[in-house]
Amino acid sequence: MGHGIFVAPTRKPLVTGSKSYHDITEDICSPAEKAPSVAWVIGMLVSLGLVAFGGACLLITIWVGIGSWNLNRTIGWGWDITNFVWWIGIGHAGTLISAILLLFRQKWRTGVNRAAEAMTIFAVICAALFPGIHMGRIWLAFFIFPYPNTRGPLWVNFNSPLLWDVFAISTYFTVSLLFWYTGLVPDFATLRDRAKGMRKRIYSFLSFGWTGSAKHWQRHEYLSLVLAGLATPLVLSVHTIVSFDFATSVIPGWHTTIFPPYFVAGAIFSGFAMVQTLMIVSRKVMNLQDYITITHIEAMNKIILLTGTIVGCAYLTELFIAWYSGYIYEQFAFMNRAMGPYWWSYFGMMLCNVITPQLFWIKKIRRSIFWTFFLSIVVNIGMWFERFVIIATTLARDYLPSSWSYYWPSIIEIGVYLFTFGLFFTLYLIFSRVAPVVAIAEVKHILKYNGDQYLAKNREDYEAKTGVKVVLDEDKVTDDPNYEVDDQIDANDLDENN
Amino acid sequence: MNQFTFTGKQKTFTFSLMFVGLLTALICLFMKGDGLRFWSNFLHNTVFFVGISFISLFILCAKSLAYSGWQTVFKRVWEAMSLFMPIGVIFLLIITLGIKMGWHDLYHWADADSVAHDKLLQAKSPFLNFTNYFLFTLIVGGYWIFTMYAYRRLSLREDNNAGLYSFNKIKALAGVFLFAGGYLACIMIWLWVMSIDAHWYSTMFAWYSAASWLVSTIAFTVLMMIYLQGKGYFPKFTDEHMHDLGKYLFGFSIFWTYLWFSQFMLIWYANIGEETTYFKLRIDEYPVLFYGNLVINFLLPFFVLMRNSTKRKHGTMIFVAIFVFFGHWMDYFQMIKPGVVETEHHLAHAAHDDHGSDTKHLDDAHKDEHKKEDAHKDDHAGDGHDDTHGDGHGDAHEESLRWGFGMPGYIEFGMFAGFLGLFLFVFFTGLGRASLTPENDIYLDESYHHHA
Amino acid sequence: MKGKHKDILFGLYNDETELLDAVHTAHEDGLEIMDVYTPFPVHGLDEAMGLSESRLHIAGFVYGMLGIMTAFGFMTWVFTRDWPIIFGGKPYWSVPAFIPISFELTVLFSAVGMVVTFYVICGLGPGVKNPILHDRITDDKFCVAFETDGLAKDKIDGYRSFFSKTGASEVFEKNI
């Protein structure tokens, strides 16, 4: 480092605005040090409003029981499990960004990993709520843990995928929390050393006495790497086990072997969409455009495109093999999805998950803030539909036509879903006030390789040496709606039409 | 040494391997007269090596889209590995021709008589038929070959033209290939491999077999890099690069195991007859293949490559790569052979029903008569796989001892050697045709200074 | 930190390149560095300081093995000895069904164990108050510190001339 950098001239900067180390500290710490902005206060009030309304619905659910929902004997899983799977899916991007992208050395992850990990933790909390209240008597929730008891002792059924879920999700939550917090400790120390009075004492406590000693950094890096190695199979296992909840059964439409990788791809897909939604707002409100650049957004859009395509491949595989199996019940299950009473959710799923994300092949859309924001919400709606299709649509047409049914949520169920939104955004807003939303130390670490002033120098050297002109589209310009992509030879051109 | 020379010694070696392959193939065909064994070996090796060339191209395309730079120093090796594709596709077309000409009975669905008596095969016949097999192999194979040559041309063009022309064009090519090539690979795997067990189906299958290709490709790359370095080529390929290849070998082995476990566990857990036949057959009659698969392809790479230091030791890497490469060859062996034997039982059974007639392709009149005769057997044949090989049960337990089907014998190893020789020949020839270092690749500097 | 106070002499550098050069110089001059403090992990610093490689992963492996044995052993005991249950016509000891939980507990034990080990061996934790040499160390300054407790003046002057030689922007004395 410092003795010349070896970075391809086509690499786009991940930190713009010729930042120094001190600028990075200032820029990222300042949102946590200033009085909250109006936007933040409004956001908080809306979130708390949702928590209040949804909280009432939650209390009714617990007080009255799940009779307050519209589930029936045929459709025993409805919005609750749909929302559970949806939230768990959203909770996948954080650990994926931190772990898998760390192992694959994708440096753009440093801009978004901290917020995405926080999102993971909050999403898992929201997800865990649903199986909890679905049990009906939440005060007996401890029954799901294997503990010596006076019933024999009668153990939990370790052979049940629902119990695997208990282990998977609690492990995932614990490991994500440790990973996230361990990464936060040095950044809390930065805040501590800038703070005064009461805030200093709080951050002193939170930063665990971090000094920045070389040996500590060495172990810290090592720990992060090993945790990333562990978290990679873990993140795959969590949604895999969620998919086992369905796929180990013999229900046509649920029992199919592609479920594990397909659920994981879908989880990453929706997780990244939620990261986009949050980051596009956060970067604007907190003035972090130099750290979460269009390059970051474009990279995430590519992952959305990739995972959306994988999910599409899985949908088509399922559909094809259902026909190919020659198994009439399997064939019926898929006919029912597309043409049954819930046809609209199937087409919503196909439209939002498979078709619209293909717009990201077009570079202009991939680099547009507006389109990214819009499509990220579309993807999240689509992924909700996917879970609804799998769960409610399949159950609605079971073995006996006499018990076929239709299901529509009650206001209480909708309220509980809104509660999780309120909870999620409340936690995120608190997080954005007390902790650095971008990982300070990690951004400093990549500055000399990915800062725009260093890369510009690097590019000039290359151009002087080879006589090749390298044109990069400037991130700042694309924020301007009137910006036109010029049709010079373009180093970032993936769009085959050009 | 920036230019690989395909020495006479290496040529002799690859030709001797090819000779061994040809010899064993001829022994199998003419001295033993075992056409099924020859053709199943032919299919097995062709699919295995076509897969390696496909995955090499796939990795190159994925790397270009992901802005990955570290592999640049040895990317010509992957290019050379992808060059086998045309030969592989021609071989597959020969197999296709074999279906038409009745040279072999690899595919149950290709037997008109069986289809006439089997409701499931009838239901699948819009997909499982000669025309589809032929057209998909021709068109998809053709598209893969087109992409492979287009990639190669662009990559070589760059050597003489500094600039970003190739860089940009390759990305466009790669984008389409990852999407279309990937989707179509699923269909090809269903046709080439999954349809051997014509009654069985699994949505995971294409992913699973592609993962097997992926690990074999990495293992082969490791072996070639160590060999070529030993000859003094690729001086800038360091332990750092080897470390990353080691991580790939480790990671993708675990990924393969993940897919294996998911497919197996779901079928085992739900216990639906139509699906369990596949694993029941393999556990009961081919236990060595079944369990050996896991030991070689999971336990071995997992425990050996877990430590970082072993990924940098060439001796260990050679050991693991050879085992894993062979292990995935065996994985394809166990995907293909038991199904072929089942088809053989089915056909033998059908012939037996046919009152001793050994004609497999009946004329229409005969077929109609046969249909009436066996009308009562239709539901029997339709409702399950297990019942249909009734007569085959007697010798079922000896399958694992049957050379060439339960276990690879000298003919299998011989033909494998032949294919390996051919693959190496194409590989070395391709490697010699271009500079080993893509001098103008934009990522070359990054690749030289790579730190794992 | 350890109850006993000690005198420290430390210099701040503005850039990690200067820091690395300084550490190399100190090594050549035979000066014994107490510690180096940086705002982010600097590549090459471990080698320059001669730090031995971390063995955290070995601890992680041991914890992981403990986890898998706990999970697998416990489930085996429950379903073959304590309270056997038949499900789906499978044997009591149905290994494939034990794998998901065994995997999860392996990861859990390994991750929690390693994180706890990390904080314990680094002496970090909630409420720990380590002396902070300078507020900018967690911002943009790179610090090399020498222990000067009870050292002769000429030795301390040697350290000072080292700092001026290697281009430290500021030099401080502190009792911690």
Side-chain angles (χ1 to χ4, degrees):
Chain A
M1 185 185 242
H3 306 287
I5 53 168
F6 305 103
V7 177
T10 48
R11 298 253 183 236
K12 281 175 278 183
L14 297 175
V15 183
T16 57
S18 297
K19 301 293 181 192
S20 68
Y21 291 135
H22 185 62
D23 293 337
I24 295 175
T25 313
E26 285 290 333
D27 291 348
I28 301 177
C29 288
S30 67
E33 291 167 344
K34 283 189 302 214
S37 65
V38 180
W40 188 89
V41 174
I42 293 172
M44 195 67 178
L45 287 176
V46 172
S47 305
L48 288 175
L50 287 175
V51 169
F53 170 72
C57 296
L58 192 63
L59 280 179
I60 292 171
T61 300
I62 292 168
W63 189 258
V64 177
I66 53 170
S68 59
W69 296 354
N70 276 354
L71 296 175
N72 53 47
R73 272 187 39 186
T74 306
I75 305 178
W77 283 359
W79 270 44
D80 46 2
I81 303 300
T82 302
N83 296 337
F84 158 70
V85 182
W86 187 76
W87 275 119
I88 281 284
I90 285 175
H92 271 55
T95 311
L96 182 103
I97 290 176
S98 320
I100 299 182
L101 297 184
L102 179 82
L103 298 181
F104 277 108
R105 261 185 244 102
Q106 296 287 324
K107 285 186 178 155
W108 55 268
R109 72 185 182 86
T110 50
V112 289
N113 64 349
R114 173 66 44 75
E117 284 169 39
M119 206 189 82
T120 288
I121 290 159
F122 306 148
V124 173
I125 293 172
C126 292
L129 178 80
F130 286 100
I133 52 172
H134 183 88
M135 289 176 210
R137 282 174 282 178
I138 198 167
W139 51 93
L140 297 179
F142 62 91
F143 276 23
I144 60 176
F145 294 104
Y147 63 98
N149 54 63
T150 52
R151 297 185 291 273
L154 180 61
W155 299 108
V156 288
N157 184 4
F158 293 106
N159 292 324
S160 162
L162 299 181
L163 191 79
W164 304 346
D165 243 352
V166 172
F167 280 89
I169 289 167
S170 48
T171 301
Y172 185 55
F173 181 75
T174 313
V175 174
S176 300
L177 191 68
L178 294 174
F179 199 21
W180 177 64
Y181 199 85
T182 304
L184 261 172
V185 162
D187 289 356
F188 276 141
T190 305
L191 279 168
R192 170 198 68 198
D193 293 344
R194 294 163 57 85
K196 300 258 175 314
M198 188 61 192
R199 288 185 72 244
K200 193 172 191 91
R201 280 167 61 195
I202 293 170
Y203 285 118
S204 282
F205 183 81
L206 292 175
S207 61
F208 284 12
W210 180 263
T211 57
S213 155
K215 187 73 194 169
H216 292 180
W217 271 124
Q218 185 208 24
R219 288 183 184 135
H220 190 269
E221 262 200 304
Y222 209 84
L223 179 71
S224 307
L225 207 64
V226 182
L227 280 182
L230 281 173
T232 303
L234 177 66
V235 71
L236 295 187
S237 81
V238 175
H239 228 62
T240 295
I241 290 176
V242 171
S243 84
F244 286 168
D245 290 347
F246 304 98
T248 50
S249 71
V250 291
I251 314 267
W254 282 9
H255 175 70
T256 175
T257 47
I258 207 174
F259 258 31
Y262 143 46
F263 265 51
V264 172
I268 296 165
F269 183 53
S270 64
F272 269 95
M274 188 58 108
V275 174
Q276 294 281 41
T277 314
L278 283 183
M279 284 294 101
I280 284 174
V281 177
S282 301
R283 73 196 278 275
K284 188 88 193 157
V285 173
M286 298 182 185
N287 261 325
L288 294 171
Q289 284 98 329
D290 284 329
Y291 303 95
I292 303 164
T293 65
I294 301 284
T295 306
H296 291 85
I297 289 170
E298 191 185 5
M300 288 193 278
N301 281 338
K302 283 184 190 167
I303 294 201
I304 289 178
L305 176 60
L306 171 75
T307 47
T309 309
I310 294 177
V311 167
C313 180
Y315 292 161
L316 296 180
T317 302
E318 264 191 334
L319 207 58
F320 174 76
I321 298 284
W323 167 79
Y324 175 84
S325 67
Y327 185 36
I328 53 169
Y329 304 103
E330 191 81 19
Q331 291 170 344
F332 173 78
F334 281 85
M335 283 292 277
N336 174 49
R337 280 185 188 176
M339 327 257 232
Y342 288 111
W343 61 271
W344 45 269
S345 62
Y346 189 76
F347 283 95
M349 165 185 105
M350 280 292 186
L351 182 72
C352 300
N353 288 351
V354 184
I355 297 165
T356 48
Q358 300 303 324
L359 287 172
F360 281 139
W361 284 102
I362 302 164
K363 192 167 78 173
K364 237 168 150 177
I365 290 182
R366 213 163 53 218
R367 294 178 68 86
S368 145
I369 300 286
F370 168 78
W371 276 101
T372 303
F373 188 72
F374 174 71
L375 286 176
S376 72
I377 289 172
V378 167
V379 166
N380 271 316
I381 294 171
M383 285 307 290
W384 190 89
F385 272 132
E386 181 199 293
R387 278 64 180 251
F388 186 76
V389 165
I390 291 172
I391 295 167
T393 309
T394 308
L395 290 175
R397 292 285 175 272
D398 69 354
Y399 301 102
L400 288 174
S402 60
S403 60
W404 286 2
S405 172
Y406 193 78
Y407 154 86
W408 195 252
S410 72
I411 184 78
I412 306 292
E413 284 173 272
I414 298 172
V416 173
Y417 187 36
L418 292 178
F419 172 81
T420 52
F421 272 105
L423 182 67
F424 181 79
F425 287 115
T426 307
L427 291 171
Y428 184 78
L429 286 166
I430 294 173
F431 156 75
S432 71
R433 289 284 308 148
V434 300
V437 175
V438 174
I440 304 176
E442 292 196 49
V443 172
K444 287 176 186 166
H445 186 66
I446 65 159
L447 180 70
K448 291 214 169 164
Y449 299 94
N450 300 82
D452 54 354
Q453 70 272 42
Y454 299 96
L455 287 183
K457 175 82 176 57
N458 185 45
R459 196 151 49 239
E460 279 161 23
D461 291 349
Y462 176 83
E463 289 178 343
K465 201 177 85 189
T466 59
V468 175
K469 180 106 184 77
V470 181
V471 180
L472 296 177
D473 28 347
E474 281 305 320
D475 295 338
K476 294 252 167 172
V477 190
T478 346
D479 273 335
D480 174 4
N482 300 319
Y483 172 73
E484 293 280 329
V485 179
D486 58 313
D487 30 29
Q488 278 175 284
I489 291 181
D490 186 334
N492 316 292
D493 192 0
L494 186 132
D495 185 6
E496 50 167 334
N497 302 325
N498 269 357
Chain B
M1 285 212 282
N2 210 2
Q3 186 65 42
F4 175 79
T5 1
F6 194 1
T7 61
K9 222 171 119 193
Q10 285 160 337
K11 278 188 183 135
T12 318
F13 178 67
T14 54
F15 277 115
S16 354
L17 283 180
M18 279 189 259
F19 177 73
V20 170
L22 199 63
L23 190 71
T24 43
L26 291 175
I27 291 176
C28 182
L29 267 180
F30 297 107
M31 287 178 65
K32 290 188 180 276
D34 196 343
L36 194 63
R37 188 166 175 185
F38 167 78
W39 283 104
S40 54
N41 286 342
F42 192 68
L43 176 73
H44 170 209
N45 287 301
T46 306
V47 168
F48 183 68
F49 283 103
V50 160
I52 291 179
S53 63
F54 169 76
I55 294 286
S56 306
L57 181 60
F58 199 82
I59 296 177
L60 285 170
C61 288
K63 293 267 169 207
S64 115
L65 283 194
Y67 299 131
S68 163
W70 68 273
Q71 80 288 352
T72 305
V73 63
F74 66 96
K75 81 167 191 179
R76 284 282 143 86
V77 167
W78 277 334
E79 285 176 20
M81 281 163 68
S82 71
L83 292 173
F84 181 76
M85 212 182 279
I87 297 180
V89 171
I90 289 170
F91 283 178
L92 279 157
L93 287 171
I94 294 174
I95 291 169
T96 316
L97 190 65
I99 296 177
K100 189 71 183 169
M101 308 298 283
W103 292 341
H104 58 73
D105 289 317
L106 290 176
Y107 295 105
H108 197 192
W109 51 263
D111 182 64
D113 191 35
S114 304
V115 175
H117 291 89
D118 190 321
K119 281 181 182 162
L120 267 178
L121 293 183
Q122 280 164 20
K124 289 176 186 194
S125 62
F127 180 65
L128 297 183
N129 57 54
F130 169 75
T131 319
N132 261 351
Y133 194 95
F134 172 65
L135 286 179
F136 271 110
T137 306
L138 187 72
I139 295 170
V140 176
Y143 167 60
W144 289 0
I145 293 169
F146 162 77
T147 309
M148 186 271 286
Y149 279 128
Y151 186 100
R152 176 76 168 170
R153 210 186 58 238
L154 285 168
S155 173
L156 296 187
R157 184 189 184 282
E158 202 173 41
D159 282 359
N160 303 318
N161 304 277
L164 298 175
Y165 178 84
S166 296
F167 178 82
N168 287 321
K169 285 285 172 191
I170 283 177
K171 273 198 292 183
L173 195 70
V176 179
F177 185 71
L178 287 194
F179 179 76
Y183 267 48
L184 293 170
C186 294
I187 300 178
M188 298 329 296
I189 292 173
W190 294 334
L191 279 173
W192 292 339
V193 187
M194 194 169 91
S195 79
I196 290 173
D197 290 88
H199 293 88
W200 183 74
Y201 58 91
S202 166
T203 40
M204 176 79 99
F205 194 78
W207 289 58
Y208 166 73
S209 10
S212 201
W213 279 344
L214 182 55
V215 184
S216 329
T217 306
I218 302 296
F220 188 81
T221 314
V222 168
L223 291 173
M224 283 304 109
M225 287 320 298
I226 293 175
Y227 172 74
L228 290 168
Q229 273 211 303
K231 294 276 165 211
Y233 299 106
F234 295 108
K236 299 229 173 174
F237 180 91
T238 61
D239 278 357
E240 307 288 334
H241 299 97
M242 185 51 84
H243 189 154
D244 265 13
L245 281 177
K247 279 194 216 163
Y248 273 20
L249 197 58
F250 177 71
F252 290 135
S253 288
I254 293 176
F255 180 68
W256 173 88
T257 314
Y258 161 69
L259 296 180
W260 182 93
F261 174 74
S262 299
Q263 177 170 271
F264 173 75
M265 200 281 288
L266 288 176
I267 288 174
W268 169 84
Y269 200 107
N271 210 1
I272 297 174
E274 282 83 348
E275 294 181 344
T276 46
T277 55
Y278 183 85
F279 287 114
K280 185 158 171 43
L281 177 71
R282 281 159 180 77
I283 293 175
D284 289 351
E285 295 175 25
Y286 305 89
V288 179
L289 291 184
F290 183 81
Y291 294 108
N293 197 5
L294 274 184
V295 173
I296 297 182
N297 294 332
F298 171 59
L299 293 181
L300 182 97
F302 181 77
F303 283 106
V304 177
L305 295 180
M306 191 153 52
R307 287 183 60 95
N308 271 344
S309 53
T310 50
K311 299 185 190 102
R312 288 165 181 261
K313 287 192 188 113
H314 285 193
T316 325
M317 285 296 284
I318 291 174
F319 169 78
V320 177
I322 287 178
F323 265 93
V324 167
F325 187 71
F326 173 71
H328 284 280
W329 182 78
M330 286 298 287
D331 189 18
Y332 268 91
F333 185 88
Q334 67 87 33
M335 283 185 228
I336 289 174
K337 295 280 181 161
V340 170
V341 173
E342 278 301 281
T343 304
E344 190 192 20
H345 286 318
H346 279 289
L347 297 180
H349 183 58
H352 179 74
D353 279 357
D354 207 20
H355 310 297
S357 158
D358 58 358
T359 328
K360 273 158 201 158
H361 302 281
L362 304 169
D363 57 275
D364 284 346
H366 194 159
K367 215 184 265 174
D368 279 345
E369 180 193 322
H370 194 82
K371 221 179 236 167
K372 272 175 228 146
E373 247 179 56
D374 280 3
H376 66 283
K377 281 187 185 131
D378 266 1
D379 34 29
H380 166 76
D383 64 23
H385 184 73
D386 268 82
D387 317 13
T388 43
H389 67 83
D391 281 13
H393 269 313
D395 47 359
H397 296 290
E398 282 124 50
E399 291 307 349
S400 57
L401 297 172
R402 186 171 156 196
W403 294 110
F405 294 94
M407 263 295 135
Y410 72 96
I411 288 175
E412 281 62 40
F413 289 116
M415 283 182 70
F416 172 61
F419 270 83
L420 187 65
L422 185 60
F423 190 88
L424 283 174
F425 180 78
V426 176
F427 173 74
F428 285 140
T429 311
L431 208 58
R433 289 239 169 99
S435 151
L436 291 182
T437 320
E439 288 296 348
N440 287 321
D441 191 301
I442 207 109
Y443 294 122
L444 193 62
D445 243 12
E446 265 185 42
S447 185
Y448 282 166
H449 299 93
H450 174 58
H451 285 285
Chain C
M1 200 151 83
K2 294 254 162 65
K4 185 178 162 282
H5 287 266
K6 53 186 176 182
D7 290 321
I8 300 286
L9 182 74
F10 66 93
L12 299 180
Y13 297 85
N14 288 327
D15 193 87
E16 70 270 26
T17 333
E18 292 170 16
L19 173 82
L20 278 176
D21 290 344
V23 172
H24 281 297
T25 312
H27 196 68
E28 281 158 20
D29 294 0
L31 304 178
E32 200 194 331
I33 295 175
M34 183 189 92
D35 208 343
V36 173
Y37 302 92
T38 58
F40 59 86
V42 174
H43 260 298
L45 188 60
D46 313 0
E47 294 92 56
M49 291 176 68
L51 296 180
S52 55
E53 209 189 309
S54 171
R55 281 164 302 173
L56 261 179
H57 61 282
I58 298 172
F61 181 77
V62 174
Y63 296 132
M65 284 295 121
L66 204 63
I68 196 167
M69 287 191 299
T70 308
F72 205 85
F74 187 71
M75 285 186 285
T76 300
W77 173 73
V78 166
F79 283 149
T80 58
R81 297 264 177 276
D82 197 47
W83 196 300
I85 291 177
I86 290 181
F87 80 107
K90 313 268 186 318
Y92 292 132
W93 195 60
S94 45
V95 175
F98 294 170
I99 287 176
I101 291 181
S102 303
F103 170 78
E104 297 300 331
L105 285 199
T106 310
V107 172
L108 184 70
F109 275 50
S110 179
V112 173
M114 267 195 307
V115 170
V116 170
T117 309
F118 165 76
Y119 285 120
V120 169
I121 58 178
C122 288
L124 302 172
V128 170
K129 281 198 172 33
N130 285 332
I132 307 303
L133 296 186
H134 194 280
D135 282 349
R136 292 286 287 266
I137 289 172
T138 52
D139 181 356
D140 61 345
K141 300 290 179 198
F142 301 80
C143 167
V144 174
F146 295 103
E147 192 177 333
T148 53
D149 229 16
L151 286 185
K153 197 172 175 310
D154 59 326
K155 198 95 195 245
I156 298 174
D157 285 342
Y159 288 143
R160 284 186 183 280
S161 65
F162 162 80
F163 281 129
S164 58
K165 185 170 81 181
T166 52
S169 59
E170 289 163 284
V171 180
F172 298 93
E173 272 177 70
K174 201 162 185 172
N175 181 271
I176 57 169

